Amino acid sequence: MTDLLLRLELSAFLDHYTNIIDSDRLEEWPTLFTEECLYEIIPRENEDAGLPAPVMYCDNNRMLRDRVLSLRHANIYEKPAYRHFVSGLEFEIVDETTYAVHANYMVVNTSQAGESAVYQAGRYADEVVRTADGLRFRSKRVIYDTLRVQTLLAYPI
Amino acid sequence: MTDLLLRLELSAFLDHYTNIIDSDRLEEWPTLFTEECLYEIIPRENEDAGLPAPVMYCDNNRMLRDRVLSLRHANIYEKPAYRHFVSGLEFEIVDETTYAVHANYMVVNTSQAGESAVYQAGRYADEVVRTADGLRFRSKRVIYDTLRVQTLLAYPI
Amino acid sequence: MTDLLLRLELSAFLDHYTNIIDSDRLEEWPTLFTEECLYEIIPRENEDAGLPAPVMYCDNNRMLRDRVLSLRHANIYEKPAYRHFVSGLEFEIVDETTYAVHANYMVVNTSQAGESAVYQAGRYADEVVRTADGLRFRSKRVIYDTLRVQTLLAYPI
């Protein structure tokens, strides 16, 4: 039963993460990561080939906060209208407070013309740790299948 | 742990709701609402601007039942083939028997020609109450992102 | 509470099933079925009309293993890049160790050109049994809405 409840807790944490992005509360996004952390978005082809070439790469929390600031002050990007859908969560217990978590994600985006379509699909490969403040990502790797997604990749997924 | 189980219960309730629509058991749809209730479908733009202009609006259970009757007897609409997908559930406990529940939804529709595509995406903003008969919606607000969805909006989402 | 935890367990089992397919670990696919079993993929129209005409049909575990072998050795199909999304799980307890499980599924596929789209939607109608080795499918019926999906249906869904 412990594992089932842990699964539920991890699922709630991922749901909270995606809601922060979808409701444009980006300032809260870095608060879900530990101070030392990794966040990267990487195409699946590179991941499979072992070639590191992320399209977004942040290796500490300050870089995450900088990313948000720059998104807020640079108006060069059309603000996306994302809806995240997460499915297929699985995890392994690495140690007492560390979990390796995997899940499929899909982002549906609605264009300014009002059309909704699959914008991006892929999988999350995360390391989640239990801290005094609750669950946090020590590492979140967003590995995407979709190749034609470059324009909006300034935003977190 | 209580919160995790409550989350699971609310998730089961939403799943039951979407299955009733997807399997075309519309007669059961009003039974998931309290007698005094609100059901509305509203475009996100209006919601964000604070402008009330729902495309569907029912403010008691009788209106829900009327809606089903009219759908059953008016054959002017092509019957949709919906599949709902719900993700990102979060909730707050308002009082001992009332929960404010939010989730992303997506409806995939399959046309008569046999093609499946994202028909609509948005989010549910619900008030769920615990009654003697189980969980019920006191209010269900369907806030959609997609603008090009008018034709089929006679059906509940 | 027991029912809620059973729901969680069944959900974890479906997630494990879809991850095996999405991560191309097809050799593990038959291990999720009992020795005597049924796996079929059938269009919704036939299901609704009571006409048995599955596009894939395996009625024992050996046929599932043969299917995998033939997929591994026949290179006539472009390998798909599937992402499964499952929602709307409901179940009934048939007897102490048997559960009738229903859920919506959607498969997003990414083409070799790098475009992701809804490839197929439908529902699972499964019979899951509790064995000494854990949960297993005694029967898994994949009932799809989408008609234009024939080419890749050599792969399990």
Side-chain angles (χ1 to χ4, degrees), chain C residues 3 7 12 19 21-22 26-27 35 39-40 71 75-76 88 98 100 103 110 112 120 129 146 152-153:
Chain C
D3 273 14
R7 172 184 163 83
N19 280 332
I21 298 172
D22 292 350
L26 292 185
E27 283 71 15
E35 197 55 37
Y39 177 81
E40 63 177 4
L71 282 170
N75 287 315
I76 52 172
T98 312
T110 299
Q112 298 230 336
Q120 186 180 134
V129 291
T146 316
L152 287 178
L153 273 182

Side-chain angles (χ1 to χ4, degrees), chain B residues 40-92:
Chain B
E40 63 176 5
I41 305 180
I42 186 170
R44 182 188 188 170
E45 285 189 328
N46 291 33
E47 170 73 7
D48 288 349
L51 295 171
V55 298
M56 195 193 298
Y57 180 84
C58 300
D59 69 358
N60 61 61
N61 205 294
R62 191 202 157 115
M63 287 179 73
L64 298 178
R65 296 192 301 268
D66 282 351
R67 166 69 55 169
V68 174
L69 280 178
S70 103
L71 282 171
R72 290 305 191 201
H73 293 101
N75 287 315
I76 53 173
Y77 299 104
E78 177 188 325
K79 197 158 140 187
Y82 286 169
R83 293 276 159 225
H84 281 71
F85 295 85
V86 172
S87 193
L89 184 149
E90 288 201 293
F91 68 96
E92 297 110 54

Side-chain angles (χ1 to χ4, degrees), chain A residues 7-99:
Chain A
R7 173 183 162 82
L8 199 48
E9 197 184 358
L10 292 167
S11 173
F13 182 58
L14 284 189
D15 284 343
H16 184 52
Y17 174 89
T18 58
N19 281 331
I20 281 178
I21 298 172
D22 292 351
S23 59
D24 196 29
R25 292 178 284 141
L26 292 186
E27 283 71 15
E28 296 176 42
W29 175 63
T31 69
L32 299 187
F33 289 79
T34 55
E35 197 55 39
E36 298 300 307
C37 64
L38 170 73
Y39 177 80
E40 63 176 5
I41 304 180
I42 186 170
R44 183 188 188 169
E45 286 190 327
N46 290 34
E47 170 73 7
D48 288 350
L51 295 171
V55 297
M56 196 192 298
Y57 180 83
C58 300
D59 69 359
N60 61 61
N61 204 295
R62 190 202 158 117
M63 287 178 73
L64 298 177
R65 297 192 300 270
D66 282 350
R67 166 70 57 168
V68 174
L69 280 178
S70 102
L71 281 170
R72 289 305 191 201
H73 293 102
N75 287 315
I76 50 171
Y77 299 105
E78 178 188 326
K79 199 160 139 183
Y82 286 167
R83 293 277 160 224
H84 281 72
F85 294 85
V86 173
S87 193
L89 184 149
E90 286 201 294
F91 67 96
E92 298 111 54
I93 299 176
V94 177
D95 64 41
E96 226 170 283
T97 56
T98 311
Y99 317 111

